[in-house]
Amino acid sequence: MKAVKNELIYFATALMFFTRIPVPFKVPYSSEIMNRSQKYFSWVGLLVGLINAAIFYLSFKLFNLEIAIVLMMISSVLLTGAFHEDGFTDVCDSFGGGYGKEKIMTIMKDSRVGAYGAIGIILLFALKFFSIQKLGSLDIMKTLAVIIFAHTSSRFISGTMIYTHQYVTDIDVSKSKPLANTALDGKSLFISFLAVLIAFSLLPDWRLLPAFILAYIGKVYLGWYFKKHIGGYTGDCLGTVQQVCEVLLYLGTIIVWKFI
């Protein structure tokens, strides 16, 4: 019983960390709990994907494809508090306007949004909108499954950074966000991947696998880029990987649906 309670705490921690969904009980916090919650990052993505897909489908039935996409994107931002998008803009600003690890890390902790961040997030949202629009024009029902798969898989892939790269301590520790930065065992990794398998089962189309591989290649490149410039990753880097991989999954799906 205690084991089940602990797992519930780990999931609730991940849910509170990545979304604004209220948890109906008090959740204790510690670095160990935060680290152990990482196995449920992809499960939070699965839940977020399901909610977004439901809003997308309902909005499509009430209005049209384009309005449905915008409403879904708004709901996603509200649901997560723009958590990953905030990390993406910080990375755009810091790597675009900084040179050298110290300067990059300093800009990354600045709460203000600069030109690189503003331009980056506009282009990211535009690419996400037009990608989902293209998918929706091909098959609405399959697009719902792709949205769920993309949200789940992108969070799983982002989480693997913890296993493959070194966490870089923020210069100003007082401004650091709590972050799972210790890799767990293979069992925990499998639990995380299980959410991806569940999302895939909603549309068991092998053509999604090349899209998943493309997204992972994107993570490998970003990991190399971050390591080259700052020696590893930060929480903002993980948010960037999630956002980029989500879009790459949409783009990869368009490619395989078009040519295969």
Side-chain angles (χ1 to χ4, degrees), residues 32 47 67 94 105 155 165 188 227:
E32 181 183 359
L47 177 60
I67 293 177
S94 57
M105 296 293 285
R155 284 166 174 80
H165 291 77
S188 298
K227 183 178 180 180

Side-chain angles (χ1 to χ4, degrees), residues 9-161:
I9 289 174
Y10 300 150
F11 175 76
T13 298
L15 189 66
M16 291 175 62
F17 187 61
F18 286 114
T19 75
R20 291 183 173 177
I21 298 175
V23 175
F25 58 87
K26 186 176 181 180
V27 180
Y29 175 80
S30 70
S31 296
E32 181 183 359
I33 291 175
M34 189 67 230
N35 282 323
R36 291 186 178 278
S37 73
Q38 67 178 267
K39 71 179 80 171
Y40 294 113
F41 289 179
S42 58
W43 288 87
V44 173
L46 178 61
L47 177 60
V48 171
L50 286 167
I51 294 173
N52 280 329
I55 292 174
F56 174 73
Y57 182 72
L58 179 61
S59 300
F60 175 75
K61 289 297 184 180
L62 292 174
F63 308 107
N64 59 25
L65 176 59
E66 289 72 24
I67 293 177
I69 297 171
V70 173
L71 289 176
M72 181 189 67
M73 291 172 67
I74 292 172
S75 70
S76 181
V77 169
L78 294 175
L79 188 63
T80 63
F83 187 82
H84 302 295
E85 291 84 354
D86 177 64
F88 178 82
T89 57
D90 285 342
V91 165
C92 288
D93 277 332
S94 57
F95 285 89
Y99 184 80
K101 179 179 177 179
E102 184 175 351
K103 184 64 174 178
I104 290 173
M105 296 293 285
T106 299
I107 297 175
M108 193 177 294
K109 304 320 297 178
D110 191 335
S111 60
R112 293 170 294 182
V113 177
Y116 288 104
I119 294 169
I121 197 65
I122 290 172
L123 294 176
L124 178 77
F125 280 157
L127 190 56
K128 190 178 296 187
F129 175 87
F130 287 112
S131 297
I132 298 175
Q133 182 187 46
K134 177 61 178 178
L135 290 171
S137 67
L138 297 174
D139 192 311
I140 285 293
M141 298 308 296
K142 286 185 178 181
T143 299
L144 296 174
V146 172
I147 289 170
I148 297 169
F149 183 71
H151 276 280
T152 308
S153 298
S154 60
R155 284 166 174 80
F156 169 78
I157 293 172
S158 177
T160 63
M161 288 283 289

Side-chain angles (χ1 to χ4, degrees), residues 218-233:
K219 172 258 178 179
V220 171
Y221 171 76
L222 288 173
W224 169 82
Y225 185 83
F226 296 148
K227 183 178 180 180
K228 176 182 177 182
H229 290 282
I230 62 174
Y233 71 91

